Structure formats: C-alpha cells, structure tokens
Amino acid sequence: MISKRIIAFFAAACLSLGISTAKPDEGMWLPMLLKQLNEAEMQKKGMKLSAEDIYSINQSSLKDAIVSFGGFCTGEMISSEGLLLTNHHCGYGQIQSHSSVEKDYLTEGFWAMNREQELPNPGLFATFIVRMEDVTQQILAGIPANVTEAEREKMVQQNIAKVRQQATAGTHYDAIIRPFFYGNEYYMYVTETFRDIRLVGAPPSSIGKFGGDTDNWMWPRHTGDFAIFRIYADENNNPAEYSPNNKPYKPKHHLPISLSGVQENDFTMVFGFPGRTNEYLTSHAIEEIYETSNPHKIKIRDTKLAVLDKDMKASDAVRIQYAAKYASVANAWKKWIGENRGLRKANTIARKQELENQFTAWANADASRKQTYGNLIAEFEKKLQAAGGYHDRP
C-alpha cells in the first residue's frame, strides 16, 4: 500500500512546483480556519461578515443556522420558530412517504395551514455543529512512523474512540472525527442532532423538479428546488423524539431574508456540508473512472431507469411508490454523465499526466528525492492495477 503520508507529500510538492489545481478563491475550507486563512481575502472581495460572524463558539454565528439535513443534504434555519429550508430533492423522500393516489403531494405540492397539519417524518434528523477542533495530535499520539498502514489505522481508530468519548461525556452531543489530507490531520465535529422534523411545505413537482434529469447537475437551472420543514424540541429546547407536546425549536441563529435583491458584483459564498473531494487522484485513477467505471455505472442505470419508467408510467400507485428511488438512481446517472463530459472537456487526463511528469522531473533532479519519490507515479499505477481499479461508490 502507498503511504497516505506520501500521497499528501505528492499533493504538497505539486503546489510547491507552482502547479495549482484550483484558483486561490476556490476550495473547501473549514469554517474554524477562516480567520487565519481566508478572512482578509474574502473581505477584499466584498464580504461584509467577519470570520467570527461565520464561525464562533463564543457567540451565535452563521454556523448555528446551517444544518446537515438527513445526513445527505444541507439545510438552513430561516426563522426563530424552527423553520428549515432545504432543496425539494432533499425532501423528496419525505414528500413521497406522505403521498398516495388520493393525496398526491408529489404532483400537487403540500402546504400545512397550521402547525397541527405539519407532518412528522420518522428517521429524519437535522444536525448542528456545536464546535470544531483540530485533534491531530491526540489521534496520532503514540503511533510510530514505521508501522504498516493497517497497524496505523487500528491505532488511529482506538485514539478516535477515546477522544470522542472524552469530548461528549456527560452531554447529549455526539462527536465525529474525520481525516484530512489523507490522514495527516484530523478534525473533530461536536454535534447536536434533532429528530423531530416535520414537513411544512413543498411546491408541486412541476416547480420543484422543473427540468427533471435533463437539467440536473447543470447551470443555470430554472427550478424552484426547495422544501420547508420545521424542527421541534422539548420544553427546554433540547433534542427529543417525536411528541405532540414538543415545541418549535428556537435556533441560536437564523438567516435573515433580504427583499432588496442582489446587485452586480455582490459577494457570494456557499456554506454547507460538502461530501468530499478527490482533487489529487492520479491520471491512472481518472483514466479508469472515465473509460471503465463511469461508463459501466451509466449503462447499468440506463437499464434500471428504463425498467422503472415503464412500470411507473403504467400506474400512479407505482409512480408514487418508486418516485424517490427513481430520482436517486437518476441523480447518480446524470452526475456520472456530466462528470465524464467535464473530464473530456477539460482534457483532465492529459493535464494530470503533465503535472505528474513535472513532479517526476522534480523528484529526479535530486538524488535523495529520487530515491524516495522517483518511482512514485509508477507505483501508483502498479497499485491501482493490483487493486482492480479505482473504487468509488457503486
């Protein structure tokens, strides 16, 4: 196995060569690091907030209005009474679960006229970040440099369990610890999760899914892709399982809504819960994705969507029952189609190969670097072939 530390070194070395894979004002940044890394540059570009306004553990801040919705989407608190705004496609499964041929909320939309009409959703949750911490030293404590990756990972997991337990003891909080930069750094998210989430409103699919799969993953879009939920809490404003006695949650912060519109050159940023980035995959992995993995996944879903589509068009009951499944399959199908289109349009494989050639030339220019890193790119290719290709989600 190629060491995660070497992978991170490869990425860092590419940057030291002046080879950047992203513009200076793009990337996925941790909110807790904005003060030291990004605040000044963002304010130069027109941001009127401070880093403390965005992320703070001492006062309410923007982070207290942003939630992980169901573990797969981002949501935003938009009122002091627990209203949560998210995408129509993020709430699509819940809208479907409440729909029937007689009450087809997917087609007609749904709006609760009062709180008694808001619909509960068993299993749905919304998670807030309480605080973030760099726990690299605690997680890597006591791990020798010369252990195998398997031994290292075992010790890492033991340290993660210990740090999580210490961080949440005596609270109703949870803690998530994730590796960054291929295991060279570790960050902990202490979280608070609410489980009484009720559907308040959603537009008809003619609005919420306007453009369908054709427009999905494309820009600009013209869809009203939104749904509204409400978070409920117990009498002390703490998380609680569903109860008719629960009260609308009062968030520490909610997003004010401006009616003044936007102006040319207004500052814009995105704050949410991205999945991951594979920015530093080698050309060999990208080639395997482009030529083998994605085409197979697209072809499989071509067949699956055709089967579902035929039966869904024949029966309204089947259409409603399989709506969320169909949308989920189509979402990934269109994503992989667009991914291959983007890789082809950007000539990504050739550009990666050029970068790797520059890295190898840099490594071979010094005897000590050559001994350690001269064969790194070839070793990547060898390991990829031995593993049977790059493995992403099926």
Side-chain angles (χ1 to χ4, degrees):
M1 177 180 287
I2 298 174
S3 169
K4 293 178 181 176
R5 283 153 283 186
I6 291 180
I7 295 174
F9 174 84
F10 169 57
C14 289
L15 294 176
S16 72
L17 287 166
I19 305 164
S20 175
T21 56
K23 297 178 182 178
D25 56 350
E26 295 180 357
M28 284 174 24
W29 299 316
L30 296 177
M32 64 176 287
L33 301 179
L34 290 180
K35 182 71 175 179
Q36 64 194 73
L37 296 178
N38 308 102
E39 181 184 45
E41 183 65 23
M42 292 166 76
Q43 289 177 340
K44 280 183 183 178
K45 295 179 181 296
M47 183 178 75
K48 298 178 181 179
L49 301 172
S50 68
E52 186 78 1
D53 292 327
I54 298 172
Y55 174 88
S56 176
I57 58 175
N58 300 312
Q59 62 187 32
S60 66
S61 59
L62 195 58
K63 77 167 175 59
D64 300 311
I66 309 298
V67 306
S68 175
F69 181 79
F72 49 79
C73 277
T74 296
E76 305 84 34
M77 304 307 301
I78 57 171
S79 86
S80 61
E81 295 294 318
L83 279 182
L84 181 155
L85 180 68
T86 190
N87 295 93
H88 183 267
H89 69 264
C90 293
Y92 199 64
Q94 283 68 44
I95 303 167
Q96 176 205 315
S97 70
H98 294 295
S99 295
S100 64
V101 175
E102 295 74 27
K103 295 181 178 180
D104 188 353
Y105 298 139
L106 289 172
T107 300
E108 300 169 4
F110 169 80
W111 298 100
M113 296 296 102
N114 53 57
R115 290 178 184 168
E116 286 69 32
Q117 292 181 5
E118 296 175 0
L119 302 176
N121 301 278
L124 183 61
F125 59 88
T127 298
F128 293 83
I129 290 180
V130 178
R131 68 178 188 274
M132 300 172 63
E133 293 181 24
D134 182 347
V135 293
T136 305
Q137 291 187 353
Q138 298 97 302
I139 301 304
L140 299 183
I143 301 179
N146 58 349
V147 296
T148 66
E149 285 298 317
E151 293 171 327
R152 181 181 188 272
E153 185 62 21
K154 181 179 179 180
M155 288 185 275
V156 162
Q157 292 303 319
Q158 291 172 342
N159 287 346
I160 284 177
K162 180 179 178 181
V163 174
R164 285 188 62 202
Q165 195 279 328
Q166 291 173 344
T168 59
T171 75
H172 65 269
Y173 297 150
D174 194 6
I176 302 167
I177 298 176
R178 291 285 184 263
F180 282 71
F181 308 112
Y182 296 93
N184 285 265
E185 294 180 10
Y186 287 82
Y187 289 86
M188 177 170 67
Y189 306 78
V190 176
T191 61
E192 183 177 37
T193 297
F194 291 80
R195 302 187 183 280
D196 186 352
I197 316 296
R198 306 182 197 180
L199 176 63
V200 175
S205 290
S206 58
I207 295 174
K209 281 178 65 67
F210 182 81
D213 302 316
T214 301
D215 281 0
N216 191 20
W217 297 94
M218 307 292 283
W219 185 261
R221 293 189 71 189
H222 305 92
T223 175
D225 188 5
F226 73 94
I228 300 175
F229 292 77
R230 194 187 306 274
I231 299 177
Y232 280 78
D234 67 15
E235 60 183 5
N236 297 314
N237 209 39
N238 289 324
E241 296 296 328
Y242 170 80
S243 169
N245 297 322
N246 286 343
K247 309 295 183 183
Y249 171 62
K250 297 187 179 301
K252 298 175 184 175
H253 186 73
H254 68 274
L255 303 183
I257 298 176
S258 173
L259 300 180
S260 60
V262 295
Q263 304 298 322
E264 188 74 19
N265 296 319
D266 276 354
F267 179 82
T268 304
M269 69 176 184
V270 177
F271 192 163
F273 292 84
R276 57 183 166 174
T277 175
N278 290 321
E279 186 176 0
Y280 296 114
L281 286 180
T282 66
S283 63
H284 317 104
I286 296 174
E287 187 173 22
E288 198 274 338
I289 290 171
Y290 178 77
E291 295 184 353
T292 305
S293 178
N294 278 359
H296 283 308
K297 290 187 289 189
I298 293 166
K299 185 177 180 180
I300 289 169
R301 282 154 183 82
D302 278 333
T303 302
K304 190 169 186 177
L305 290 171
V307 172
L308 291 172
D309 184 64
K310 180 180 178 180
D311 288 340
M312 289 169 70
K313 285 180 177 177
S315 166
D316 280 339
V318 173
R319 171 181 58 80
I320 292 170
Q321 290 168 346
Y322 280 87
K325 171 65 73 175
Y326 185 95
S328 177
V329 174
N331 186 53
W333 168 81
K334 182 59 184 293
K335 180 253 187 182
W336 290 318
I337 291 174
E339 186 173 82
N340 265 24
R341 180 174 179 267
L343 291 173
R344 181 172 58 253
K345 185 176 180 180
N347 199 24
T348 303
I349 296 172
R351 292 171 64 186
K352 279 282 188 177
Q353 290 170 339
E354 180 183 356
L355 185 152
E356 291 161 357
N357 290 337
Q358 293 181 48
F359 173 82
T360 300
W362 171 84
N364 290 338
D366 177 85
S368 62
R369 291 200 301 257
K370 180 177 181 179
Q371 183 177 1
T372 305
Y373 306 112
N375 293 323
L376 181 59
I377 302 301
E379 190 69 13
F380 272 124
E381 182 177 17
K382 180 180 176 182
K383 295 297 185 182
L384 184 72
Q385 292 174 348
Y390 174 73
H391 298 284
D392 200 350
R393 289 179 293 181

